[in-house]
Amino acid sequence: MQKMTETVNTKKFTELFSDLERCNKEEQKQKILEMNEAMEEMDEKEFKSVFTTELFDKICRMIEERKIYLKDSILMLKHVGYFNVLKCACINCFENSSLKKKVGEIIIEEEHKKEEKNEKIFVDLCKCYISLSYNIPPELRSICVLCLLKAALNKEESEEVQKEVEMTLLALSNITMWKNIPEELFLSEIKEIIKYHQDHHNLTRLAFQSAWQFLTSRLLFIKKLETVILNELHFVGEARRELEESIRHIDWKGKGEEKEKNRIERKEEILLVRWLRMLGRFFVKCKLWNEESTELFSSIVQVFGVAKGNYSEICEECIRSFIAAVKNRVVILDSLLKIGAIDAAFEEIPKSTIKVQMIYYCLKFFIEISRRIKEEKERKDLKRKVFDKLEEEGYEDIIIGLCYCMYKWEFGYLHLIKNCPDYFVYL
Protein backbone atom coordinates (compact mmCIF):
# COMPACT_ATOMS: atom_id res chain seq x y z
CA MET A 1 0.00 0.00 0.00
CA GLN A 2 1.20 3.55 -0.72
CA LYS A 3 2.53 5.74 2.06
CA MET A 4 -0.01 8.01 3.72
CA THR A 5 -0.46 10.11 6.82
CA GLU A 6 -2.22 7.67 9.11
CA THR A 7 -5.08 8.65 11.36
CA VAL A 8 -6.68 6.51 14.05
CA ASN A 9 -9.23 5.22 11.54
CA THR A 10 -6.80 4.51 8.69
CA LYS A 11 -4.27 2.91 11.03
CA LYS A 12 -6.94 0.61 12.47
CA PHE A 13 -8.08 -0.38 8.97
CA THR A 14 -4.58 -1.09 7.60
CA GLU A 15 -3.57 -3.13 10.66
CA LEU A 16 -6.71 -5.26 10.38
CA PHE A 17 -6.23 -5.69 6.63
CA SER A 18 -2.60 -6.80 7.04
CA ASP A 19 -3.75 -9.55 9.44
CA LEU A 20 -6.37 -11.06 7.11
CA GLU A 21 -4.06 -13.55 5.40
CA ARG A 22 -3.10 -15.11 8.75
CA CYS A 23 -6.67 -15.64 9.96
CA ASN A 24 -9.01 -18.60 9.81
CA LYS A 25 -12.50 -18.16 8.39
CA GLU A 26 -14.18 -16.96 11.60
CA GLU A 27 -11.34 -14.59 12.51
CA GLN A 28 -11.27 -13.21 9.00
CA LYS A 29 -14.95 -12.38 9.04
CA GLN A 30 -14.67 -10.69 12.45
CA LYS A 31 -11.76 -8.52 11.30
CA ILE A 32 -13.68 -7.48 8.20
CA LEU A 33 -16.64 -6.43 10.36
CA GLU A 34 -14.21 -4.28 12.39
CA MET A 35 -12.75 -2.86 9.15
CA ASN A 36 -16.26 -1.91 8.04
CA GLU A 37 -16.75 -0.03 11.31
CA ALA A 38 -13.47 1.83 10.74
CA MET A 39 -14.71 2.81 7.25
CA GLU A 40 -17.83 4.33 8.74
CA GLU A 41 -15.73 6.69 10.86
CA MET A 42 -13.48 7.84 7.98
CA ASP A 43 -13.95 11.18 6.32
CA GLU A 44 -13.57 11.61 2.56
CA LYS A 45 -9.83 12.34 2.72
CA GLU A 46 -9.12 9.32 4.91
CA PHE A 47 -11.22 7.13 2.66
CA LYS A 48 -9.30 8.13 -0.45
CA SER A 49 -5.96 7.62 1.27
CA VAL A 50 -6.78 4.00 2.10
CA PHE A 51 -8.49 2.70 -1.03
CA THR A 52 -5.80 2.80 -3.68
CA THR A 53 -5.30 0.80 -6.88
CA GLU A 54 -2.57 -1.08 -5.05
CA LEU A 55 -4.98 -2.12 -2.30
CA PHE A 56 -7.62 -3.31 -4.79
CA ASP A 57 -4.95 -5.26 -6.70
CA LYS A 58 -3.85 -6.92 -3.47
CA ILE A 59 -7.45 -7.95 -2.68
CA CYS A 60 -7.65 -9.48 -6.16
CA ARG A 61 -4.45 -11.50 -5.57
CA MET A 62 -5.73 -12.67 -2.19
CA ILE A 63 -8.95 -13.92 -3.80
CA GLU A 64 -7.08 -15.73 -6.59
CA GLU A 65 -4.60 -17.29 -4.12
CA ARG A 66 -7.47 -18.24 -1.78
CA LYS A 67 -6.00 -16.19 1.05
CA ILE A 68 -9.36 -14.50 1.55
CA TYR A 69 -12.75 -16.15 1.16
CA LEU A 70 -14.86 -14.72 -1.69
CA LYS A 71 -17.84 -14.17 0.63
CA ASP A 72 -15.66 -12.25 3.08
CA SER A 73 -14.11 -10.11 0.35
CA ILE A 74 -17.63 -9.29 -0.86
CA LEU A 75 -18.66 -8.36 2.69
CA MET A 76 -15.82 -5.82 2.73
CA LEU A 77 -16.26 -4.54 -0.83
CA LYS A 78 -19.99 -3.96 -0.35
CA HIS A 79 -19.15 -1.54 2.46
CA VAL A 80 -16.34 0.08 0.47
CA GLY A 81 -18.87 0.79 -2.29
CA TYR A 82 -21.56 1.88 0.15
CA PHE A 83 -19.35 4.46 1.86
CA ASN A 84 -17.77 5.53 -1.43
CA VAL A 85 -21.20 6.62 -2.66
CA LEU A 86 -22.45 7.89 0.70
CA LYS A 87 -19.38 10.03 1.42
CA CYS A 88 -19.14 11.16 -2.23
CA ALA A 89 -15.51 10.05 -2.02
CA CYS A 90 -15.35 9.36 -5.78
CA ILE A 91 -12.41 7.00 -5.43
CA ASN A 92 -11.33 6.14 -8.99
CA CYS A 93 -8.56 3.66 -8.15
CA PHE A 94 -10.94 0.73 -8.64
CA GLU A 95 -11.24 1.63 -12.35
CA ASN A 96 -7.69 0.59 -13.27
CA SER A 97 -7.38 -2.27 -10.81
CA SER A 98 -7.22 -5.98 -11.56
CA LEU A 99 -10.07 -6.39 -9.04
CA LYS A 100 -12.54 -4.56 -11.28
CA LYS A 101 -11.80 -6.96 -14.13
CA LYS A 102 -12.04 -9.93 -11.75
CA VAL A 103 -15.41 -8.88 -10.30
CA GLY A 104 -16.79 -8.21 -13.80
CA GLU A 105 -15.74 -11.69 -14.95
CA ILE A 106 -17.38 -13.37 -11.94
CA ILE A 107 -20.63 -11.43 -12.54
CA ILE A 108 -20.77 -12.60 -16.17
CA GLU A 109 -19.98 -16.18 -15.12
CA GLU A 110 -22.79 -16.13 -12.54
CA GLU A 111 -25.21 -14.60 -15.05
CA HIS A 112 -24.58 -17.41 -17.53
CA LYS A 113 -25.04 -20.20 -15.01
CA LYS A 114 -28.22 -22.19 -15.59
CA GLU A 115 -27.97 -24.20 -12.41
CA GLU A 116 -26.37 -23.74 -8.99
CA LYS A 117 -26.41 -19.98 -9.35
CA ASN A 118 -25.73 -18.26 -6.01
CA GLU A 119 -28.25 -15.42 -6.17
CA LYS A 120 -26.97 -13.61 -3.08
CA ILE A 121 -23.34 -13.56 -4.27
CA PHE A 122 -24.54 -12.43 -7.71
CA VAL A 123 -26.53 -9.49 -6.25
CA ASP A 124 -23.73 -8.51 -3.87
CA LEU A 125 -21.11 -8.54 -6.63
CA CYS A 126 -23.34 -6.26 -8.73
CA LYS A 127 -23.61 -3.87 -5.75
CA CYS A 128 -19.82 -3.80 -5.39
CA TYR A 129 -19.23 -3.27 -9.10
CA ILE A 130 -21.83 -0.52 -9.56
CA SER A 131 -20.95 1.44 -6.43
CA LEU A 132 -17.22 1.53 -7.27
CA SER A 133 -17.28 1.92 -11.07
CA TYR A 134 -17.71 4.88 -13.39
CA ASN A 135 -17.11 3.25 -16.77
CA ILE A 136 -19.28 0.19 -17.28
CA PRO A 137 -19.29 -2.05 -20.38
CA PRO A 138 -22.81 -2.22 -21.90
CA GLU A 139 -23.22 -5.94 -21.16
CA LEU A 140 -22.43 -5.48 -17.46
CA ARG A 141 -24.56 -2.36 -17.34
CA SER A 142 -27.70 -4.25 -18.37
CA ILE A 143 -26.93 -7.25 -16.17
CA CYS A 144 -26.31 -5.15 -13.05
CA VAL A 145 -29.28 -2.78 -13.45
CA LEU A 146 -31.74 -5.65 -13.93
CA CYS A 147 -30.22 -7.62 -11.06
CA LEU A 148 -30.25 -4.74 -8.57
CA LEU A 149 -33.74 -3.52 -9.42
CA LYS A 150 -35.05 -7.05 -8.90
CA ALA A 151 -33.28 -7.18 -5.52
CA ALA A 152 -34.64 -3.75 -4.54
CA LEU A 153 -38.19 -5.00 -5.10
CA ASN A 154 -37.88 -7.15 -1.96
CA LYS A 155 -40.79 -5.94 0.19
CA GLU A 156 -39.86 -7.63 3.46
CA GLU A 157 -39.74 -5.11 6.30
CA SER A 158 -37.10 -6.71 8.51
CA GLU A 159 -34.18 -4.48 9.47
CA GLU A 160 -31.71 -6.75 7.66
CA VAL A 161 -33.67 -6.67 4.40
CA GLN A 162 -34.15 -2.89 4.65
CA LYS A 163 -30.39 -2.42 5.00
CA GLU A 164 -29.68 -4.62 1.97
CA VAL A 165 -32.28 -2.78 -0.11
CA GLU A 166 -30.76 0.53 1.01
CA MET A 167 -27.31 -0.61 -0.16
CA THR A 168 -28.82 -1.80 -3.44
CA LEU A 169 -30.60 1.48 -4.22
CA LEU A 170 -27.60 3.51 -3.08
CA ALA A 171 -25.47 1.58 -5.57
CA LEU A 172 -28.02 2.31 -8.34
CA SER A 173 -27.90 6.01 -7.47
CA ASN A 174 -24.21 5.98 -8.44
CA ILE A 175 -24.99 5.58 -12.13
CA THR A 176 -26.03 9.18 -12.72
CA MET A 177 -23.59 9.64 -15.61
CA TRP A 178 -24.39 6.47 -17.55
CA LYS A 179 -26.05 6.82 -20.91
CA ASN A 180 -28.14 4.42 -22.96
CA ILE A 181 -30.13 2.64 -20.28
CA PRO A 182 -33.38 1.91 -22.13
CA GLU A 183 -36.51 2.65 -20.12
CA GLU A 184 -37.73 -0.93 -20.51
CA LEU A 185 -34.78 -1.99 -18.32
CA PHE A 186 -35.83 0.09 -15.33
CA LEU A 187 -39.01 2.17 -15.52
CA SER A 188 -41.69 -0.26 -14.36
CA GLU A 189 -39.48 -1.59 -11.54
CA ILE A 190 -38.39 1.80 -10.16
CA LYS A 191 -41.98 3.07 -10.34
CA GLU A 192 -43.14 0.03 -8.37
CA ILE A 193 -40.43 0.58 -5.75
CA ILE A 194 -41.39 4.24 -5.25
CA LYS A 195 -45.15 3.66 -5.32
CA TYR A 196 -44.97 0.77 -2.89
CA HIS A 197 -43.02 2.89 -0.44
CA GLN A 198 -45.53 5.73 -0.80
CA ASP A 199 -48.26 3.31 0.29
CA HIS A 200 -46.41 1.16 2.85
CA HIS A 201 -43.28 3.12 3.95
CA ASN A 202 -41.05 0.05 3.69
CA LEU A 203 -37.81 1.83 2.66
CA THR A 204 -35.29 3.73 4.72
CA ARG A 205 -35.14 7.44 3.91
CA LEU A 206 -31.73 7.01 2.28
CA ALA A 207 -33.08 4.17 0.13
CA PHE A 208 -36.07 6.31 -0.93
CA GLN A 209 -33.80 9.25 -1.84
CA SER A 210 -31.55 6.91 -3.82
CA ALA A 211 -34.49 5.54 -5.80
CA TRP A 212 -35.45 9.09 -6.76
CA GLN A 213 -31.86 9.95 -7.64
CA PHE A 214 -31.62 6.98 -9.98
CA LEU A 215 -34.91 7.92 -11.69
CA THR A 216 -34.36 11.69 -11.98
CA SER A 217 -30.89 11.10 -13.42
CA ARG A 218 -32.47 9.28 -16.36
CA LEU A 219 -34.38 12.49 -17.19
CA LEU A 220 -31.28 13.81 -18.95
CA PHE A 221 -31.64 11.08 -21.58
CA ILE A 222 -35.41 10.34 -21.56
CA LYS A 223 -37.29 13.64 -21.53
CA LYS A 224 -40.78 12.14 -21.27
CA LEU A 225 -39.93 10.85 -17.79
CA GLU A 226 -40.67 14.29 -16.37
CA THR A 227 -44.42 13.74 -16.67
CA VAL A 228 -44.09 10.42 -14.82
CA ILE A 229 -41.85 11.96 -12.15
CA LEU A 230 -44.02 15.02 -11.49
CA ASN A 231 -47.57 13.93 -12.24
CA GLU A 232 -47.63 10.19 -11.59
CA LEU A 233 -45.12 9.87 -8.75
CA HIS A 234 -45.63 13.37 -7.22
CA PHE A 235 -41.94 14.15 -6.89
CA VAL A 236 -42.34 17.73 -5.67
CA GLY A 237 -44.52 16.83 -2.71
CA GLU A 238 -42.23 13.95 -1.74
CA ALA A 239 -39.13 16.16 -1.94
CA ARG A 240 -40.75 18.83 0.25
CA ARG A 241 -41.70 16.27 2.89
CA GLU A 242 -38.19 14.84 2.92
CA LEU A 243 -36.57 18.27 3.33
CA GLU A 244 -38.93 19.11 6.18
CA GLU A 245 -38.23 15.73 7.78
CA SER A 246 -34.49 16.44 7.67
CA ILE A 247 -35.02 19.79 9.36
CA ARG A 248 -36.63 17.97 12.27
CA HIS A 249 -33.89 15.32 12.56
CA ILE A 250 -30.80 17.56 12.80
CA ASP A 251 -29.68 19.47 15.90
CA TRP A 252 -29.24 22.88 14.29
CA LYS A 253 -28.26 24.61 17.54
CA GLY A 254 -24.84 22.97 17.74
CA LYS A 255 -21.89 24.09 15.70
CA GLY A 256 -21.98 21.92 12.60
CA GLU A 257 -18.22 21.87 12.03
CA GLU A 258 -17.13 21.75 15.66
CA LYS A 259 -19.44 19.59 17.68
CA GLU A 260 -18.99 15.85 18.06
CA LYS A 261 -21.75 14.30 15.99
CA ASN A 262 -23.06 10.80 16.31
CA ARG A 263 -23.41 8.49 13.33
CA ILE A 264 -27.15 9.02 13.02
CA GLU A 265 -26.85 12.78 12.75
CA ARG A 266 -23.95 12.57 10.30
CA LYS A 267 -26.08 10.33 8.11
CA GLU A 268 -28.98 12.82 8.33
CA GLU A 269 -26.72 15.61 7.12
CA ILE A 270 -25.43 13.46 4.26
CA LEU A 271 -29.01 12.59 3.33
CA LEU A 272 -30.02 16.25 3.26
CA VAL A 273 -27.02 17.21 1.12
CA ARG A 274 -27.87 14.38 -1.29
CA TRP A 275 -31.43 15.68 -1.65
CA LEU A 276 -30.22 19.24 -2.29
CA ARG A 277 -27.68 18.11 -4.89
CA MET A 278 -30.25 15.96 -6.63
CA LEU A 279 -32.76 18.84 -6.66
CA GLY A 280 -30.14 21.15 -8.16
CA ARG A 281 -29.60 18.71 -11.03
CA PHE A 282 -33.35 18.25 -11.43
CA PHE A 283 -33.97 22.01 -11.65
CA VAL A 284 -31.51 22.25 -14.54
CA LYS A 285 -33.35 19.58 -16.53
CA CYS A 286 -37.03 20.10 -15.70
CA LYS A 287 -39.26 21.68 -18.34
CA LEU A 288 -42.60 21.59 -16.51
CA TRP A 289 -43.14 24.22 -13.81
CA ASN A 290 -46.11 25.14 -11.64
CA GLU A 291 -46.98 26.74 -8.31
CA GLU A 292 -46.28 23.50 -6.42
CA SER A 293 -42.78 23.45 -7.87
CA THR A 294 -42.19 26.99 -6.62
CA GLU A 295 -43.30 25.92 -3.13
CA LEU A 296 -40.43 23.44 -3.10
CA PHE A 297 -38.09 26.43 -2.96
CA SER A 298 -39.80 27.60 0.21
CA SER A 299 -38.59 24.38 1.84
CA ILE A 300 -35.05 24.98 0.56
CA VAL A 301 -35.15 28.51 1.99
CA GLN A 302 -36.28 26.97 5.29
CA VAL A 303 -33.30 24.61 5.22
CA PHE A 304 -30.99 27.53 4.49
CA GLY A 305 -32.47 29.52 7.36
CA VAL A 306 -31.76 26.86 9.98
CA ALA A 307 -28.38 25.84 8.54
CA LYS A 308 -26.77 29.26 8.05
CA GLY A 309 -23.80 30.00 10.23
CA ASN A 310 -23.13 26.42 11.31
CA TYR A 311 -23.53 24.16 8.28
CA SER A 312 -21.62 25.67 5.36
CA GLU A 313 -21.93 22.66 3.03
CA ILE A 314 -25.72 22.59 3.37
CA CYS A 315 -25.93 26.37 2.80
CA GLU A 316 -23.77 26.11 -0.31
CA GLU A 317 -25.99 23.38 -1.75
CA CYS A 318 -29.09 25.52 -1.12
CA ILE A 319 -27.59 28.44 -3.05
CA ARG A 320 -26.44 26.12 -5.83
CA SER A 321 -30.00 24.83 -6.21
CA PHE A 322 -31.21 28.45 -6.52
CA ILE A 323 -28.60 29.06 -9.24
CA ALA A 324 -29.74 25.96 -11.13
CA ALA A 325 -33.37 27.10 -11.00
CA VAL A 326 -32.67 30.65 -12.16
CA LYS A 327 -30.63 29.38 -15.11
CA ASN A 328 -33.63 27.29 -16.21
CA ARG A 329 -35.73 29.60 -18.35
CA VAL A 330 -39.01 27.81 -17.58
CA VAL A 331 -38.73 28.70 -13.89
CA ILE A 332 -40.83 31.77 -13.10
CA LEU A 333 -38.41 34.32 -11.69
CA ASP A 334 -40.94 36.49 -9.82
CA SER A 335 -42.38 33.60 -7.86
CA LEU A 336 -38.88 32.38 -7.02
CA LEU A 337 -37.86 35.76 -5.62
CA LYS A 338 -41.03 36.09 -3.53
CA ILE A 339 -40.17 33.05 -1.42
CA GLY A 340 -37.06 34.74 -0.05
CA ALA A 341 -34.21 33.08 -1.95
CA ILE A 342 -32.46 36.35 -2.77
CA ASP A 343 -32.85 37.64 0.78
CA ALA A 344 -31.27 34.44 2.09
CA ALA A 345 -28.25 35.00 -0.14
CA PHE A 346 -27.99 38.63 0.98
CA GLU A 347 -27.97 37.56 4.61
CA GLU A 348 -25.03 35.26 3.95
CA ILE A 349 -22.77 37.90 2.35
CA PRO A 350 -21.88 40.02 5.44
CA LYS A 351 -20.79 37.12 7.67
CA SER A 352 -17.65 37.99 9.61
CA THR A 353 -16.22 34.55 8.84
CA ILE A 354 -17.06 34.84 5.18
CA LYS A 355 -15.78 32.11 2.88
CA VAL A 356 -14.71 32.67 -0.70
CA GLN A 357 -16.66 29.59 -1.78
CA MET A 358 -19.93 30.92 -0.35
CA ILE A 359 -19.39 34.44 -1.76
CA TYR A 360 -18.75 32.79 -5.11
CA TYR A 361 -22.10 30.96 -5.02
CA CYS A 362 -24.06 33.98 -3.72
CA LEU A 363 -22.68 36.33 -6.37
CA LYS A 364 -23.14 33.73 -9.08
CA PHE A 365 -26.79 33.60 -7.98
CA PHE A 366 -27.13 37.38 -8.30
CA ILE A 367 -25.46 37.37 -11.71
CA GLU A 368 -27.86 34.69 -13.00
CA ILE A 369 -30.83 36.66 -11.68
CA SER A 370 -29.61 39.83 -13.36
CA ARG A 371 -29.36 37.95 -16.66
CA ARG A 372 -33.01 36.95 -16.31
CA ILE A 373 -34.33 40.43 -15.50
CA LYS A 374 -35.59 41.96 -18.72
CA GLU A 375 -35.77 45.63 -17.71
CA GLU A 376 -32.39 47.38 -17.62
CA LYS A 377 -33.47 49.56 -14.67
CA GLU A 378 -34.46 46.50 -12.60
CA ARG A 379 -31.16 44.85 -13.42
CA LYS A 380 -29.14 47.88 -12.36
CA ASP A 381 -31.21 48.21 -9.18
CA LEU A 382 -30.36 44.65 -8.22
CA LYS A 383 -26.65 45.19 -8.91
CA ARG A 384 -26.69 48.38 -6.85
CA LYS A 385 -28.43 46.54 -3.99
CA VAL A 386 -25.66 43.92 -3.91
CA PHE A 387 -22.92 46.55 -4.08
CA ASP A 388 -24.50 48.71 -1.37
CA LYS A 389 -24.98 45.71 0.90
CA LEU A 390 -21.28 44.89 0.75
CA GLU A 391 -20.25 48.51 1.26
CA GLU A 392 -22.70 48.93 4.15
CA GLU A 393 -21.12 45.99 5.97
CA GLY A 394 -17.61 47.37 5.56
CA TYR A 395 -16.38 45.08 2.83
CA GLU A 396 -14.74 47.70 0.60
CA ASP A 397 -11.67 45.50 0.18
CA ILE A 398 -13.86 42.62 -0.88
CA ILE A 399 -15.59 44.84 -3.44
CA ILE A 400 -12.20 45.76 -4.93
CA GLY A 401 -11.14 42.13 -5.11
CA LEU A 402 -14.47 40.53 -5.94
CA CYS A 403 -13.31 39.30 -9.32
CA TYR A 404 -11.06 36.84 -7.46
CA CYS A 405 -14.15 35.27 -5.91
CA MET A 406 -15.80 34.87 -9.27
CA TYR A 407 -13.25 32.46 -10.70
CA LYS A 408 -14.35 28.91 -11.30
CA TRP A 409 -12.21 25.77 -11.48
CA GLU A 410 -12.66 23.95 -14.75
CA PHE A 411 -10.49 21.46 -16.63
CA GLY A 412 -7.58 22.16 -14.28
CA TYR A 413 -7.63 25.94 -14.77
CA LEU A 414 -9.25 28.95 -13.15
CA HIS A 415 -11.66 30.89 -15.40
CA LEU A 416 -13.31 34.21 -14.72
CA ILE A 417 -17.08 33.96 -14.94
CA LYS A 418 -18.38 35.66 -18.07
CA ASN A 419 -19.61 39.25 -17.53
CA CYS A 420 -18.41 39.25 -13.91
CA PRO A 421 -16.55 42.61 -14.25
CA ASP A 422 -19.66 44.18 -15.81
CA TYR A 423 -21.65 43.20 -12.74
CA PHE A 424 -19.73 45.55 -10.47
CA VAL A 425 -18.02 48.03 -12.81
CA TYR A 426 -20.92 49.08 -14.98
CA LEU A 427 -23.43 50.03 -12.32
Side-chain angles (χ1 to χ4, degrees):
M1 292 173 62
Q2 69 183 37
K3 290 184 179 179
M4 59 188 176
T5 303
E6 287 193 318
T7 64
V8 172
N9 297 323
T10 59
K11 184 177 181 181
K12 179 181 178 182
F13 183 92
T14 52
E15 286 177 351
L16 288 164
F17 183 83
S18 64
D19 287 340
L20 285 179
E21 294 183 65
R22 297 186 289 272
C23 297
N24 61 37
K25 187 171 183 179
E26 288 304 314
E27 291 172 336
Q28 200 172 81
K29 183 174 181 180
Q30 182 56 41
K31 286 189 181 294
I32 287 174
L33 291 173
E34 292 176 39
M35 289 163 63
N36 290 344
E37 288 181 0
M39 277 186 234
E40 189 164 355
E41 297 298 330
M42 290 179 193
D43 60 23
E44 180 185 335
K45 186 177 180 180
E46 291 172 319
F47 203 80
K48 286 182 176 180
S49 74
V50 170
F51 295 102
T52 62
T53 301
E54 187 178 358
L55 180 98
F56 288 124
D57 286 341
K58 185 169 184 179
I59 294 171
C60 185
R61 287 196 301 272
M62 290 169 69
I63 292 171
E64 290 174 340
E65 294 170 6
R66 301 183 183 276
K67 292 180 178 178
I68 185 172
Y69 297 95
L70 181 60
K71 286 184 179 180
D72 290 339
S73 66
I74 290 172
L75 178 62
M76 176 173 58
L77 290 172
K78 276 172 60 180
H79 281 77
V80 178
Y82 179 83
F83 290 115
N84 176 50
V85 180
L86 194 63
K87 298 172 189 288
C88 297
C90 298
I91 52 174
N92 54 17
C93 298
F94 183 75
E95 285 298 310
N96 300 316
S97 71
S98 55
L99 183 60
K100 177 178 178 178
K101 182 180 179 182
K102 180 72 174 178
V103 173
E105 289 171 352
I106 298 173
I107 288 172
I108 291 173
E109 286 173 12
E110 287 293 321
E111 168 66 12
H112 291 160
K113 281 183 181 178
K114 295 182 179 179
E115 297 178 0
E116 298 181 359
K117 183 175 181 178
N118 190 318
E119 199 65 39
K120 178 167 174 45
I121 285 181
F122 180 52
V123 172
D124 285 345
L125 284 169
C126 288
K127 288 178 193 174
C128 299
Y129 196 80
I130 296 298
S131 56
L132 289 168
S133 299
Y134 299 97
N135 295 306
I136 312 294
E139 181 182 4
L140 278 165
R141 189 182 307 166
S142 300
I143 291 171
C144 291
V145 168
L146 287 170
C147 169
L148 294 184
L149 283 171
K150 180 182 176 183
L153 282 165
N154 191 334
K155 298 179 174 63
E156 290 182 40
E157 296 184 13
S158 69
E159 187 175 340
E160 183 181 355
V161 169
Q162 280 194 335
K163 182 66 177 179
E164 288 300 321
V165 170
E166 179 183 275
M167 296 180 86
T168 301
L169 288 169
L170 189 69
L172 282 166
S173 76
N174 195 45
I175 64 174
T176 54
M177 300 307 294
W178 291 4
K179 298 181 181 180
N180 303 324
I181 301 180
E183 62 181 277
E184 59 267 20
L185 283 181
F186 70 88
L187 187 54
S188 62
E189 289 83 358
I190 200 70
K191 280 170 58 178
E192 183 179 346
I193 289 166
I194 290 172
K195 284 183 174 181
Y196 190 85
H197 174 78
Q198 288 171 335
D199 292 335
H200 300 92
H201 305 287
N202 64 309
L203 299 176
T204 67
R205 292 177 57 231
L206 177 59
F208 191 49
Q209 187 278 333
S210 298
W212 277 117
Q213 185 163 318
F214 171 80
L215 180 57
T216 57
S217 295
R218 310 276 67 75
L219 182 60
L220 181 63
F221 313 110
I222 307 174
K223 304 300 182 184
K224 66 180 181 179
L225 283 181
E226 188 170 0
T227 302
V228 174
I229 290 167
L230 292 177
N231 299 337
E232 188 176 343
L233 298 176
H234 313 292
F235 173 70
V236 172
E238 295 288 1
R240 284 195 69 186
R241 279 190 288 275
E242 288 297 321
L243 292 181
E244 290 163 7
E245 190 72 15
S246 289
I247 290 175
R248 290 193 290 270
H249 276 82
I250 296 175
D251 176 17
W252 300 102
K253 295 178 182 179
K255 291 287 184 182
E257 296 178 357
E258 297 174 6
K259 69 174 182 170
E260 184 68 26
K261 291 175 281 189
N262 59 41
R263 292 180 179 180
I264 294 175
E265 185 160 350
R266 283 202 301 270
K267 195 169 179 178
E268 281 293 337
E269 289 177 34
I270 290 171
L271 178 61
L272 178 54
V273 169
R274 282 174 61 84
W275 267 107
L276 291 169
R277 286 177 180 164
M278 181 185 71
L279 288 171
R281 292 191 292 268
F282 176 76
F283 295 147
V284 170
K285 293 176 282 191
C286 70
K287 298 301 177 187
L288 302 175
W289 201 259
N290 54 34
E291 190 60 34
E292 185 185 29
S293 302
T294 301
E295 289 173 3
L296 180 54
F297 283 95
S298 297
S299 297
I300 298 175
V301 170
Q302 274 186 286
V303 171
F304 188 93
V306 293
K308 62 185 180 183
N310 292 336
Y311 294 80
S312 58
E313 184 180 16
I314 292 173
C315 290
E316 287 171 10
E317 292 301 333
C318 290
I319 298 295
R320 289 177 69 181
S321 69
F322 298 152
I323 294 169
V326 173
K327 290 174 76 172
N328 188 334
R329 295 288 167 171
V330 303
V331 176
I332 301 171
L333 188 59
D334 288 345
S335 59
L336 178 59
L337 299 182
K338 285 177 185 177
I339 54 101
I342 192 169
D343 293 326
F346 271 132
E347 288 176 11
E348 194 62 26
I349 284 182
K351 294 290 172 63
S352 58
T353 56
I354 197 161
K355 294 184 178 180
V356 169
Q357 184 101 333
M358 180 56 87
I359 260 204
Y360 164 78
Y361 289 131
C362 289
L363 295 178
K364 182 86 162 65
F365 179 42
F366 299 141
I367 287 172
E368 294 301 336
I369 291 174
S370 73
R371 288 172 177 164
R372 288 283 308 275
I373 297 174
K374 294 180 180 179
E375 295 297 326
E376 183 65 22
K377 182 180 182 302
E378 290 181 24
R379 182 160 46 247
K380 286 192 174 184
D381 286 346
L382 176 62
K383 293 178 184 180
R384 172 58 64 182
K385 187 176 179 183
V386 176
F387 188 92
D388 289 347
K389 182 70 174 179
L390 288 166
E391 192 172 56
E392 175 189 323
E393 298 294 338
Y395 288 106
E396 292 89 348
D397 291 341
I398 292 180
I399 295 171
I400 293 169
L402 265 176
C403 283
Y404 169 75
C405 301
M406 299 312 297
Y407 278 91
K408 64 179 179 178
W409 187 262
E410 190 172 68
F411 306 119
Y413 299 95
L414 284 170
H415 299 275
L416 187 67
I417 289 182
K418 187 178 179 182
N419 299 330
C420 173
D422 297 348
Y423 195 78
F424 290 97
V425 176
Y426 301 109
L427 288 165

